[in-house]
Amino acid sequence: MTTDKDNSFPLEWLRHTSPYINTHRRKTFVVWLSDELLGSPSLKNIVYDLTLLSHLGVRLVLVHGMRKQIDETLQASGIEAQFACPVETNDNSHLMRITTAEMLPLLQALLGQLRCRIESLFSTGLPNTPMSGSRVTLCSGNFVIARPYGVRQGVDYFHTGEIRKVRVKSINSLLDLGMIVLMQPVGYSPTGETFNLHAEDVATQTAIDLQADKLIFLHQQTEELAQALGDVREISVGAHGFRQALPSSLSNIRSIVNNATLACQRGVNRCHIVSSQQDGALLKELFTRDGSGLLLDAGDYDSIRSATTRDVAGIKTLIQPLIDEGILLSRSEQDLERCINQFYVAEREGSVIACASLTRFDDQAELGCLAVHPDFRASGKAADIVQHLIKEARTRGCTQLFALSTRSGDWFREQGFVPGSISDIPVDENRIEGNRGSKVYLFNLNSI
Ligand SMILES: CC(C)(COP(=O)(O)OP(=O)(O)OC[C@H]1O[C@@H](n2cnc3c(N)ncnc32)[C@H](O)[C@@H]1OP(=O)(O)O)[C@@H](O)C(=O)NCCC(=O)NCCS
């Protein structure tokens, strides 16, 4: 056997990429491209790397931002950019853009320009570039159904919207055909209106609804993020206080971290925040053991997480016998689907083994529909869920948690709840007396 004297050929590296290629093939990655990146020379190399991923069999959904481009366009047109804060806080990261009807044609033109720019970069195939022989097809469309953000704190946000639904089936069909799906920060309502959306939210919700294997944010502030977190490369979103460690000067990346956390809590296995400026950072993150950016995973939240519409059937199977016995309030699959955002589940090997709901009423919250599969009872699962919901209710600023129960009063008392009366809670009397005669149990969230 002869040895290859050409040391420049990365033989060992190439061989060692094999396990990564096998791991990533046929997996779905949602990749967020920052608005900064779209205007930077780094975009070309990122397109090379995304094309490579597509050729290696990764199912890619791209979502681009355009905040910076909107600001520039408004300035050039002499229109003042308007923002308002829908919640009472001094934190600027909550500011929302007000998208007036006057801005809409500019926004539409910008969306077209950015789509053309991205499509043209993916279409290059010059012989002396990494795109040589490349044949990737990009597809964009009306994948997001939106609704108006509406009037909040007296401020009308006009064409600023929020996501109502992501058309997962259509996206999956295109991915199955080997296309790259390009999504823009825009959605359409059934009334035919166009709404300006947060690109981060589009990426996050799409990753959650697709149950993507990875959600990747390409961002320019990764160095600052790494410094703020003490150079950790991997963090569990359950790790206490890590989000608070991010200084307010990093408000932009803090909202990315919040989105990544939400995605992990809702079933996206891994979220990566990777440099959009450092050449090759994306490939290094995906094809080397140490990576290059920050990896967030579900960690402790693996056992208890927010439910998604995919859990509806599992929750229904779990609670139906208890509904039949009159222990839990009757809920149809449609009811569950409608209020799935209020549910939390614990899952084992793909099956929902425990669930509970948290419903907010001003400064109080109701813990409801608590159930643990008989095979998994008496192992502290319900107590864990209650602790999780107590934390969640405190985070949302509630002062009291209450539960209604016909047969599990003693259990709630063992968890620190005290018996209360209907006058202590903001729930319709009929639900208790006329319906099932449940008793009220209260937990003071201000206690230590
Ligand atoms: C109540 C329930 C959620 C507890 O789940 P779990 O995971 O077994 O609870 P934990 O492991 O945290 O606690 C188990 C302990 O509580 C006790 N316990 C369970 N149900 C109880 C009840 N109804 N009353 C009093 N104690 C009860 C168990 O005997 C066990 O006691 P042990 O530690 O002495 O063995 C579960 O039994 C269940 O799903 N029940 C049917 C639905 C229901 O009643 N929901 C509450 C109304 S919203």
Side-chain angles (χ1 to χ4, degrees), residues 322 327-328 367-373 376-384 404-412 414-415:
L322 300 165
I327 297 174
L328 293 182
L367 185 160
C369 205
L370 176 65
V372 175
H373 189 280
F376 297 93
R377 285 189 190 159
S379 62
K381 200 42 93 195
D384 286 349
L404 299 170
S405 180
T406 48
R407 300 191 204 173
S408 301
D410 281 3
W411 186 86
F412 279 109
E414 283 174 31
Q415 309 307 311

Side-chain angles (χ1 to χ4, degrees), residues 193-238:
E193 284 184 285
T194 304
F195 290 98
N196 179 16
L197 304 174
H198 270 166
E200 298 89 320
D201 294 347
V202 174
T204 305
Q205 196 56 50
T206 303
I208 292 169
D209 289 355
L210 283 172
Q211 287 290 285
D213 298 282
K214 288 186 189 298
L215 169 59
I216 302 172
F217 291 96
L218 296 176
H219 200 278
Q220 62 284 358
Q221 276 185 318
T222 46
E223 279 308 310
E224 293 90 326
L225 176 65
Q227 274 169 21
L229 294 176
D231 275 329
V232 288
R233 290 277 170 223
E234 195 170 335
I235 205 157
S236 149
V237 295

